């Protein structure tokens, strides 16, 4: 699907005679479903109308109806004010961003979603904007892929882009790991008693090994104490920095939660942390970003470097081997009903995950409701929509 750019003459005319947001919504038949729904909540609409210098990502009629008719869409009809406000805030980007400003390099644009029940990212939760061919694509939580179908609709407070799929508010790390098929990560965090620590932290970058990565070092992790396991996992977490791929460059050094250094190498478009290759970048989570990697990092081998010419990297734990095709830490972890973006399972194998280009990823079909510590046990805006984060 190619987005529709307004002719230059029409764009120039619109600048001189722009309508306010309400009138612009009413004048665009492709937004009639969203308009009818938002008008049911005058306070939320007024908050939206009062903003300026913003970019609105507005679901088309087809996108909004698909969501409303889904199993989770019925939750919207419960009229939960916090969820409705989160929906609106996550669809509003700070600043006016025209389609021509988006290119093939991912840009991470802060939205007006700052509610701590939904996000813990300084400056507001983000969306990723990037072009593939002539399409402007927006990635949100769980690598939800939304394409701009109509761009550059001007109004007095900024610009509107119509999108073909409802955005997904990023979820917490533990829930995202399970949904992504990273069951070894989810199980290891549980075994090391780090789930609450990571889910409640602010501004994190997490390098999350695939299941295949954990399987490859099975002999090295079988008898670890909780403290030893925690030390390894903490070496995969950068606290206080959200390192989206576009902010990482060759020779970037990051300090992990355990105090040790992590070295970033960028070679021929591939990203490595120490000797591990990033196979799925920029999975947005409630409090930062997750990059899926093909190796478990070793805090006792901080000088490990990649062989960029190799098809796979050697394990960072000397002498470690797989144990009877057993993936450690996965016992008792729920099996996801679908995977990141509905594409290759991130946890299944590093090869299959790496072969799935991010541009091909579309939304996953169903996600279990999650609990929120900030608002009680509430299941809000699940599949293809928005969830409150713990």
């Amino acid at each position: 699907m190619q987005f529709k750019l307004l002719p230059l003459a029409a764009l120039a005319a619109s600048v001189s005679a722009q309508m306010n947001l309400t009138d612009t919504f009413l004048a665009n038949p492709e937004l009639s479903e969203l308009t009818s729904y938002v008008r049911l909540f005058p306070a939320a609409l007024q908050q939206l109308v009062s903003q300026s210098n913003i970019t609105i990502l507005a679901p088309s009629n087809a996108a909004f109806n698909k969501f409303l008719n889904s199993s989770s869409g019925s939750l919207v009809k419960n009229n939960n004010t916090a969820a409705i406000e989160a929906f609106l805030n996550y669809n509003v980007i700070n600043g006016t961003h025209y389609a021509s400003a988006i290119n093939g390099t991912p840009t991470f644009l802060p939205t007006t979603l700052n509610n701590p029940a939904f996000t813990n990212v300084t400056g507001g939760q983000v969306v990723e904007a990037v072009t593939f061919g002539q399409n402007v694509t927006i990635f949100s939580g769980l690598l939800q892929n939304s394409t701009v179908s109509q761009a550059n609709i001007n109004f007095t407070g900024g610009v509107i882009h119509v999108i073909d799929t409802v955005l997904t508010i990023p979820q917490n790390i533990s829930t995202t790991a399970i949904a992504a098929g990273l069951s070894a990560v989810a199980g290891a965090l549980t075994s090391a008693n780090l789930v609450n620590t990571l889910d409640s932290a602010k501004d994190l970058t997490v390098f999350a090994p695939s299941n295949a990565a954990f399987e490859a070092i099975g002999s090295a992790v079988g008898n670890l104490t909780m403290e030893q396991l925690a030390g390894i996992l903490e070496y995969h977490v950068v606290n206080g920095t959200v390192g989206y791929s576009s902010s990482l460059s060759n020779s970037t050094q990051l300090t992990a939660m355990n105090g040790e250094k992590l070295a970033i190498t960028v070679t021929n478009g591939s990203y490595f942390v120490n000797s591990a290759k990033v196979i799925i970048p920029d999975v947005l989570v409630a409090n930062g970003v997750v990059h899926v990697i093909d190796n478990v990092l070793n805090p006792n081998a901080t000088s490990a470097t990649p062989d960029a010419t190799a098809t796979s990297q050697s394990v960072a734990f000397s002498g470690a081997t797989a144990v009877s095709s057993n993936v450690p830490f996965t016992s008792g972890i729920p099996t996801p009903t679908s995977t990141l973006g509905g594409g290759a399972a991130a946890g299944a194998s590093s090869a299959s995950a790496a072969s799935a280009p991010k541009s091909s990823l579309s939304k996953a079909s169903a996600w279990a409701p999650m609990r929120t510590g900030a608002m009680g046990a509430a299941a809000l805006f699940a599949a293809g929509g928005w969830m409150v984060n713990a």
Side-chain angles (χ1 to χ4, degrees), residues 140-144 171-187 189 206 208-212 279-285 289-293 330 333-350 352-354 356 361-368:
S140 54
L142 302 174
L143 289 186
Q144 170 70 72
Q171 302 172 49
N172 63 29
I173 292 170
S174 57
T175 300
T176 298
I178 294 173
L182 301 173
S183 52
V185 169
L189 290 174
V206 178
S210 66
N211 277 12
I279 54 178
I280 301 180
D282 300 317
V283 182
L284 303 178
V285 291
V289 66
V290 170
H291 304 293
V292 182
I293 57 177
T330 56
I333 301 300
T335 300
T337 57
S338 51
T339 60
L340 275 186
S349 76
S350 58
S352 63
L361 297 174
S362 59
K363 82 172 182 180
S365 58
W367 307 100

Side-chain angles (χ1 to χ4, degrees), residues 136-140 143-148 163-168 361:
V136 174
T137 298
I138 307 296
F139 286 102
S140 54
L143 289 186
Q144 170 70 72
N145 177 331
S146 303
T147 299
V148 173
I163 55 176
D164 67 355
T165 305
V166 171
L167 301 178
T168 297
L361 297 174

Side-chain angles (χ1 to χ4, degrees), residues 20-22 25 38-52 54 84-85 88-89:
N20 63 31
L21 179 58
T22 303
F25 272 177
V38 172
R39 291 178 75 187
L40 297 174
F41 307 96
L45 178 59
Q46 181 56 42
Q47 179 188 20
L48 184 62
V49 169
S50 66
Q51 299 179 73
S52 62
I54 58 175
I84 293 164
E85 290 179 351
L88 294 176
N89 290 336

Side-chain angles (χ1 to χ4, degrees), residues 83-96:
I84 293 164
E85 290 179 351
F87 155 50
L88 294 176
N89 290 336
Y90 193 51
N91 283 266
V92 178
I93 299 171
N94 288 306
T96 303

Side-chain angles (χ1 to χ4, degrees), residues 1-67:
M1 179 185 300
Q2 295 185 358
F3 57 81
K4 302 173 184 176
L5 289 173
L6 294 178
L8 288 178
L11 183 60
S14 69
V15 170
S16 61
Q18 290 176 12
M19 295 181 288
N20 63 31
L21 179 58
T22 303
D23 290 342
T24 304
F25 272 177
L26 291 171
N28 193 316
E30 190 59 27
L31 300 178
S32 59
E33 295 296 332
L34 175 64
T35 303
S36 297
Y37 179 76
V38 172
R39 291 178 75 187
L40 297 174
F41 307 96
L45 178 59
Q46 181 56 42
Q47 179 188 20
L48 184 62
V49 169
S50 66
Q51 299 179 73
S52 62
N53 189 26
I54 58 175
T55 300
I56 297 176
L57 303 174
S60 65
N61 287 344
F64 200 66
N65 279 325
K66 183 177 181 180
F67 170 67

Side-chain angles (χ1 to χ4, degrees), residues 97-294:
H97 303 275
Y98 289 98
S100 59
I102 307 302
N103 55 41
T105 300
T107 302
F108 297 87
L109 303 173
T111 71
T112 59
L113 178 59
N114 288 287
N115 186 337
F118 293 84
T119 185
N120 203 4
V121 175
T122 298
Q125 185 55 268
V126 305
V127 294
E128 176 188 351
V130 65
T131 58
F132 294 109
Q134 296 186 23
N135 292 334
V136 174
T137 298
I138 307 296
F139 286 102
S140 54
L142 302 174
L143 289 186
Q144 170 70 72
N145 177 331
S146 303
T147 299
V148 173
S149 57
Q150 185 178 0
N152 302 338
I153 303 171
N154 288 280
F155 70 103
T156 53
V159 66
I160 299 169
H161 303 305
V162 181
I163 55 176
D164 67 355
T165 305
V166 171
L167 301 178
T168 297
I169 288 182
Q171 302 172 49
N172 63 29
I173 292 170
S174 57
T175 300
T176 298
I178 294 173
L182 301 173
S183 52
V185 169
L189 290 174
T190 300
S191 297
N193 197 27
L194 287 176
V195 172
N196 290 335
T197 299
L198 294 194
D199 282 349
S200 61
K202 187 181 185 73
D203 295 335
L204 293 186
T205 301
V206 178
F207 296 99
S210 66
N211 277 12
F214 272 103
E215 182 179 349
I217 63 164
S219 65
V221 298
N223 296 313
L224 293 176
T225 65
M226 186 174 72
E227 289 75 17
Q228 289 170 329
L229 177 59
I232 292 173
L233 295 176
E234 288 171 352
Y235 189 51
H236 292 73
V237 179
V238 179
N239 197 4
T241 299
V242 183
Y244 305 113
S245 62
S246 59
S247 68
L248 302 177
S249 60
N250 206 28
S251 300
T252 295
Q253 283 212 337
L254 302 170
T255 302
M257 185 177 285
N258 70 345
E260 298 291 344
K261 296 296 184 181
L262 294 165
I264 303 298
T265 303
V266 182
T267 303
N268 297 326
S270 294
Y271 287 75
F272 299 85
V273 52
N274 292 1
S275 61
K277 184 177 182 178
V278 175
I279 54 178
I280 301 180
D282 300 317
V283 182
L284 303 178
V285 291
N287 54 348
V289 66
V290 170
H291 304 293
V292 182
I293 57 177
D294 69 352

